[in-house]
Amino acid sequence: MPVNFEIINGVATITIDRPEARNSIDREAAIAIDAAIKQIESDSAIRVGIITGAGGNFCAGMDLKAFLRGETVRLPDSGFAGVTQAKRTKPLIAAVEGYALAGGFEIALACDMVVASEEAQFGLTEAKRGLVANAGGLVRLPRQLPIKIATQLVLVGDLHPASLLATHGLINVVTPKGGALDGALELARKIAANGPLAVAVGRQVLNESLEWPADELFDRQNAITAAVFASEDAKEGARAFAEKRAPVWRGV
């Protein structure tokens, strides 16, 4: 199988397992990742997802051999690799070792957070192959990085270390080599321990509010977040705090 899927204590880990091809994406891998993302969304026991790669690399993007064979790695409802245009309500964390190139970088950009080892290398290399980063690179980078840094990444196509991108806020945690997955799991466990309704609504407002008019920010936010304050989980959180115990979330 080109993808492994594991669920432990509310955290699901998707591992792209094509190390012989630096975890590049062929059609079989794209379909498998898409199925895993959909399972994360549909299973109420899963609170957080992680996507990573086997064998010391994250993902080198589209498998060019598969491209030449005519394989389609962009799915109609979820985009490249079943990730870049997927409709998600739950957090997804990229755990990056080694190379995150082209579409692999775009998978990371589609995630809510990125944990990368100090030896990880990121690059939108499409222009070097006569292609463009239209699986999210062109539209997400200027929303996540200063425009001049984004322009350099897109037009030059060189590789950049995790440490540099972290200085611009693109990476949440930089770990020692081999530590990206452990770092992502640490973040995921903390998120999974929080109220699922609060996490989902918080993520929704963070993402959607980027496009809201300034004079509507609070009205739109309040309309969405009102349900959280009226929820059973909000009451449970308060009770658990008062009783000095861990909350038991119901997601309602």
Side-chain angles (χ1 to χ4, degrees):
M1 291 292 292
V3 171
N4 296 319
F5 187 68
E6 182 180 44
I7 306 167
I8 299 176
N9 296 328
V11 177
T13 301
I14 303 166
T15 304
I16 308 168
D17 193 6
R18 304 186 73 231
E20 73 287 351
R22 290 182 177 174
N23 300 319
S24 58
I25 303 297
D26 63 1
R27 182 161 180 79
E28 186 181 10
I31 291 171
I33 296 169
D34 176 66
I37 295 289
K38 286 181 168 61
Q39 184 173 342
I40 290 171
E41 284 296 303
S42 64
D43 188 342
S44 61
I46 300 174
R47 303 290 181 82
V48 187
I50 295 172
I51 185 164
T52 191
N57 285 301
F58 181 68
C59 175
M62 177 175 62
D63 185 328
L64 294 180
K65 292 180 181 178
F67 171 71
L68 291 173
R69 290 194 299 267
E71 293 186 22
T72 301
V73 297
R74 188 181 305 236
L75 305 184
D77 63 341
S78 54
F80 174 74
V83 178
T84 59
Q85 292 173 255
K87 296 175 175 61
R88 296 186 293 103
T89 61
K90 298 178 183 179
L92 184 64
I93 304 171
V96 180
E97 298 280 351
Y99 291 116
L101 306 180
F105 192 176
E106 290 171 298
I107 291 172
L109 289 173
C111 293
D112 298 282
M113 287 176 279
V114 179
V115 177
S117 83
E118 60 193 2
E119 296 192 3
Q121 295 282 322
F122 294 77
L124 290 178
T125 55
E126 284 89 345
K128 292 180 181 292
R129 303 289 180 262
L131 301 170
V132 291
N134 73 339
L138 297 180
V139 296
R140 285 194 169 107
L141 267 186
R143 288 169 166 78
Q144 299 182 25
L145 286 175
I147 187 63
K148 287 183 170 57
I149 303 298
T151 301
Q152 180 180 347
L153 284 166
V154 170
L155 302 188
V156 177
D158 285 346
L159 306 189
H160 297 276
S163 58
L164 175 64
L165 297 184
T167 65
H168 296 293
L170 193 66
I171 296 171
N172 296 83
V173 180
V174 178
T175 73
K177 181 181 179 180
L181 181 56
D182 285 342
L185 284 166
E186 182 179 356
L187 274 179
R189 291 179 189 121
K190 291 178 179 179
I191 296 169
N194 292 337
L197 184 62
V199 168
V201 169
R203 180 187 178 278
Q204 178 186 355
V205 173
L206 281 170
N207 285 277
E208 292 182 6
S209 63
L210 293 172
E211 309 298 331
W212 294 347
D215 61 350
E216 297 179 14
L217 286 174
F218 281 91
D219 286 342
R220 291 198 183 194
Q221 170 198 260
N222 294 342
I224 295 171
T225 59
V228 176
F229 289 91
S231 70
E232 291 301 314
D233 273 1
K235 297 173 185 175
E236 168 62 10
R239 281 194 298 266
F241 177 80
E243 296 168 8
K244 298 181 179 179
R245 59 173 174 81
V248 180
W249 307 118
R250 296 172 52 202
V252 293

